[in-house]
Amino acid sequence: MNNQFTFKTFRLLAAALLGAVSLSGCTDSSEEEKTLASFSSSVADFTDYIQEADEKINNLDVTKKESADELLELLDDMDAKFAEFANTQMPAQYENVKDLAVQASEEMSLAVSHYHTAYESEPFHESYADAAYQCYERSYECVQLMGYLLAGEKIPENDHVKVYEESNDKNILDKWLSNDESESSENETASDEISEAIE
């Protein structure tokens, strides 16, 4: 599947989390420190697993008939691992990571389901395979976003992710509620554009 995402940030953060926990002291560790230690270990394990699974998938010999069965087995295992990570207890400061982990797991489950349908159909069902790949890509996109959040880095905008900054314009309601016709028509146009963007 030749996944284009890198997990360097994810791995570095896992190491940083483990280091922070080690420095905080091994004896008399608080519940919060124990949760952080467990979480950092889960992040490291999940990252290692993703890289191994990606290598196995990319090394499948597509000329062999049994490679389809091998792919489905790998995907079933990935589905289970993504669900396991989504169920990991995460420290309160990583709530956003939890949401993304759940979304990644849901997308991976959809991808696996669609891949099974595609490969188990006679003949091969290409539209299901295409849908599966899109879900698979979205799942990995969530993983990439988790890496940015864990590292405290700014999330870059792309076709699927838009980063919005809060506006502090205290006159915005006055502009929206103005009786001026030109402003009213501008607002309607802006409203239409926002509706189109959401769709």
Side-chain angles (χ1 to χ4, degrees):
M1 290 184 195
N2 201 13
N3 183 14
Q4 297 299 311
F5 301 119
T6 62
F7 304 100
K8 185 177 179 183
T9 303
F10 215 24
R11 290 183 63 82
L12 287 175
L13 188 77
L17 284 171
L18 283 169
V21 171
S22 299
L23 291 174
S24 67
C26 298
T27 59
D28 299 330
S29 45
S30 70
E31 195 62 37
E32 187 178 337
E33 288 170 337
K34 288 177 184 175
T35 302
L36 185 62
S38 175
F39 175 59
S40 63
S41 178
S42 295
V43 168
D45 291 345
F46 185 62
T47 305
D48 288 340
Y49 172 78
I50 287 172
Q51 290 181 322
E52 288 168 18
D54 195 50
E55 281 177 28
K56 287 178 184 175
I57 288 173
N58 288 321
N59 289 327
L60 286 175
D61 185 350
V62 294
T63 61
K64 294 182 178 176
K65 188 178 179 181
E66 58 269 18
S67 65
D69 292 333
E70 290 174 31
L71 173 63
L72 292 177
E73 283 178 27
L74 286 168
L75 289 169
D76 286 339
D77 192 46
M78 288 181 78
D79 190 17
K81 294 290 185 185
F82 272 62
E84 182 182 314
F85 186 71
N87 287 322
T88 300
Q89 183 181 0
M90 300 187 188
Q93 63 266 40
Y94 296 113
E95 250 178 60
N96 291 340
V97 174
K98 176 77 172 178
D99 293 340
L100 283 168
V102 169
Q103 189 176 343
S105 177
E106 289 170 353
E107 291 290 348
M108 184 58 71
S109 291
L110 278 173
V112 172
S113 174
H114 291 331
Y115 273 125
H116 271 280
T117 302
Y119 282 98
E120 291 167 357
S121 295
E122 288 293 339
F124 175 77
H125 209 299
E126 192 170 345
S127 60
Y128 272 97
D130 290 342
Y133 187 71
Q134 288 174 14
C135 293
Y136 181 86
E137 287 284 291
R138 284 195 297 269
S139 179
Y140 269 86
E141 192 170 76
C142 289
V143 171
Q144 186 183 38
L145 295 177
M146 282 190 274
Y148 284 114
L149 286 177
L150 288 168
E153 293 181 7
K154 186 177 178 181
I155 295 175
E157 288 190 19
N158 61 38
D159 291 342
H160 298 109
V161 178
K162 297 292 179 204
V163 179
Y164 295 99
E165 294 180 10
E166 286 186 25
S167 172
N168 199 17
D169 186 353
K170 55 186 171 186
N171 298 320
I172 194 117
L173 285 176
D174 292 335
K175 291 176 185 176
W176 285 345
L177 300 174
S178 171
N179 288 330
D180 184 67
E181 287 182 15
S182 64
E183 285 185 11
S184 177
S185 64
E186 283 176 18
N187 288 339
E188 285 173 13
T189 305
S191 176
D192 292 341
E193 287 173 2
I194 290 169
S195 298
E196 288 172 12
I198 291 171
E199 292 169 1

